[in-house]
Amino acid sequence: MGNCCSDEAGHGGAHPVGPAAAKAAQAASAAADRFLRSRGAGASTQIELSLSASNLGDQEYFPKSNPMVVVYSRRKDGPLEEIGRSEVFLNSLNPSWTTKISVQYQFEVLQPLVFQVFDIDTQFHDVSEKMLKLEEQDFLGEASCLLSEVVTKRDRLLTLKLGVSEHNLPNPSKFGELTVQAEESAGSKAIMEMVFRCSDLEIKDLLTKSDPFLLISKISDSGMPVPICKTEVRKNDLNPRWKPVILNLQQIGSKENPLIIECFNFSSNGKHDLVGKIVKSVAELENMYHRQNSENFFVPASNAHECHSKEVLKSQLYVEKYVESNRHTFLDYISAGCQLNFMVGVDFTASNGNPRLPDSLHYIDPSGRPNVYQKAILEIGDVLQHYDPAKRFPSWGFGARPIDGPVSHCFNLNGSTYQPEVDGIQGIMSAYISALRNVSLAGPTLFGQLISTAMAIASQSLADNQQKYFILLIVTDGVVTDFQETIDAIIKASDFPMSIIVIGVGGADFKEMEFLDPNKGEKLESSTGRVASRDMIQFAPVKDAHGSGASTVQSLLAEIPGQFMTYMRTREIQTVS
């Protein structure tokens, strides 16, 4: 998986180029931001599925079978979409198909897979598998699973019982088993690490500062640029040197494929200005490093009649470091036994409204429709629960007064004095509803104690040498009032195996909460002057939990693999044996 550096916010600047070039630069930058935020850093990788089966069908009815398996994906609440077919395996009830089915693994979404096995009649043996009409074949059974259920298994191997869906079989008690094995693309492990620097960046508007960053894109088959990585922003720097950029062979396709490297001047409104660009393959960048050469940036001509001309700038790009290696990937750690543990913190402050009234954010709808808190927990938890075999989730509330007690800023959601864990996502839902009946909503909104409590669990796990990484979800309807205590807790937590996702719900103005998101705010600094050892917290408001909220939640989840890998790599933690 690749690795991209997150942005640091900077001051807007201007580099006056022609209107057409400026418009294209802004569109490219906006597209890059949307792409990188929605896909996350290293959250997607190519998986190849190998399939085999045993004891197919019933030998009384299928003494000689010619099985073929068809693989489907199912979008949320949508129909099945075919993604691949195996070859036809002749005369066997125990086939091991050689055709591999490719699927793109995405950590941030549930990916249901459906496998259907058919017996192909001998009259169709000269027909290409892709052209076979399935309704003309005998159905041998069906199985389904989530892709995450396969990749989290040791050796990424999962055996499923074949069953029947809407098909009618003579003897539905005998179907056999289907075995699915997932193998990550070799290209995802081939890593190229590069350090870029620039000299004499040209900023023609002398009244502004330069806050440059690099955007790296590959060129798709259609000729359109596809953003794959973005560096951090270097504030007020005309000779910047960026943190290492890590790409993998899967992302770029080949070392000979051209990459577009664009330098932008960061603007807080998201309309970053193009400084210049170069087009080089990784092989050429490697050659630049070995020869200690530089390359001048250029700006495309703004005149539509001069589409092939360009203005060459004095600004230059250097490759200060180039290293190739093979590295462990996120899925290597997961399939080797590393677990992701889900933790939840729920805001019970009075600003949420009376839970008994329909206009409250905590209102429990008799129809069963989840409120905004339940929806956020379900969307995050439904993905993360498959990476935790025990499914014991610490769950807390904050900002409420338990019966006959003072206001608490971190209490166990299940009412237990000592144990915050509940069983499964439904256990969180039950504990949440029970807590609503047994506490009085109060305030203010404080995160510090909650984060410190979650950090203590991660710290103890680390001390016990457990292979665990923790994700704390905080759902809140307001702005924190303990800013410095929260920042101090976050900076301490950055040293431990954990990430924090903060989701804002309701109609509050969350502008002040952007300090929690390293892509939008300044670097966090503790009261003692420390900065976080890595980016491990992110914030986003979800104004419409039943509309755009789904993509917002997915974009937050998509950053978890990158944060996980940063922790593992900076501490040189190898996969478990």
Side-chain angles (χ1 to χ4, degrees), residues 350-368:
S351 54
N352 284 281
N354 188 338
R356 297 179 180 82
L357 300 179
D359 61 352
S360 170
L361 297 176
H362 280 308
Y363 180 67
I364 304 300
D365 195 325
S367 70

Side-chain angles (χ1 to χ4, degrees), residues 289-560:
Y289 165 72
H290 289 301
R291 296 192 175 207
Q292 294 296 294
N293 291 342
S294 62
E295 182 76 13
N296 289 83
F297 282 104
F298 69 86
V299 176
S302 58
N303 191 325
H305 299 292
E306 301 176 8
C307 58
H308 295 296
S309 66
K310 59 187 180 182
E311 175 191 356
V312 178
L313 308 176
K314 68 176 182 179
S315 307
Q316 294 182 315
L317 179 76
Y318 296 82
V319 182
E320 280 204 345
K321 178 181 179 181
Y322 181 93
V323 177
E324 291 185 14
S325 61
N326 286 313
R327 290 193 179 182
H328 294 306
T329 66
F330 172 72
L331 289 182
D332 284 334
Y333 285 92
I334 296 301
S335 63
C338 192
Q339 301 173 15
L340 303 184
N341 293 157
F342 183 39
M343 303 189 288
V344 176
V346 178
D347 186 336
F348 282 84
T349 55
S351 54
N352 284 281
N354 188 338
R356 297 179 180 82
L357 300 179
D359 61 352
S360 170
L361 297 176
H362 280 308
Y363 180 67
I364 304 300
D365 195 325
S367 70
R369 179 182 180 180
N371 63 34
V372 290
Y373 282 91
Q374 291 172 309
K375 185 171 178 62
I377 294 169
L378 288 169
E379 288 188 356
I380 298 286
D382 280 349
V383 171
L384 294 180
Q385 65 174 329
H386 300 289
Y387 297 84
D388 182 355
K391 294 181 173 54
R392 294 276 295 166
F393 305 133
S395 305
W396 302 281
F398 59 93
R401 180 179 290 106
I403 296 175
D404 300 326
V407 174
S408 174
H409 300 294
C410 186
F411 58 90
N412 294 338
L413 210 58
N414 60 9
S416 168
T417 303
Y418 303 107
Q419 297 296 331
E421 293 89 357
V422 298
D423 290 321
I425 303 301
Q426 286 309 310
I428 300 175
M429 293 292 103
S430 298
Y432 164 67
I433 294 172
S434 176
L436 285 173
R437 301 192 187 104
N438 292 288
V439 302
S440 299
L441 274 58
T445 304
L446 308 178
F447 284 3
Q449 187 178 347
L450 172 66
I451 294 174
S452 295
T453 302
M455 178 178 58
I457 294 178
S459 174
Q460 186 60 53
S461 173
L462 185 62
D464 294 341
N465 205 27
Q466 296 177 333
Q467 296 292 327
K468 293 184 178 182
Y469 189 90
F470 297 84
I471 296 99
L472 171 63
L473 168 66
I474 303 175
V475 192
T476 182
D477 83 317
V479 177
V480 296
T481 55
D482 62 337
F483 281 94
Q484 194 57 57
E485 185 180 350
T486 294
I487 290 172
D488 289 349
I490 291 169
I491 290 172
K492 287 182 181 178
S494 69
D495 293 330
F496 295 99
M498 66 180 293
S499 290
I500 304 172
I501 296 174
V502 183
I503 293 180
V505 296
D509 182 0
F510 288 106
K511 187 69 176 177
E512 293 181 56
M513 292 287 280
E514 291 185 355
F515 81 99
L516 293 174
D517 193 330
N519 289 312
K520 297 178 181 178
E522 300 287 345
K523 274 192 175 297
L524 300 181
E525 185 173 318
S526 75
S527 53
T528 60
R530 275 198 67 200
V531 296
S533 60
R534 61 191 175 94
D535 293 337
M536 45 74 71
I537 184 168
Q538 51 201 318
F539 166 79
V542 182
K543 295 294 185 183
D544 179 6
H546 298 282
S548 62
S551 60
T552 299
V553 168
Q554 288 172 12
S555 69
L556 292 174
L557 274 172
E559 296 195 29
I560 295 297

Side-chain angles (χ1 to χ4, degrees), residues 46-61:
Q46 193 74 22
I47 295 290
E48 292 183 335
L49 301 179
S50 298
L51 304 168
S52 61
S54 59
N55 302 316
L56 286 177
D58 187 337
Q59 296 186 17
E60 179 181 350
Y61 294 96

Side-chain angles (χ1 to χ4, degrees), residues 258-269:
L259 297 178
I260 301 172
I261 303 177
E262 297 170 291
C263 183
F264 287 97
N265 188 26
F266 180 90
S267 178
S268 58
N269 63 11

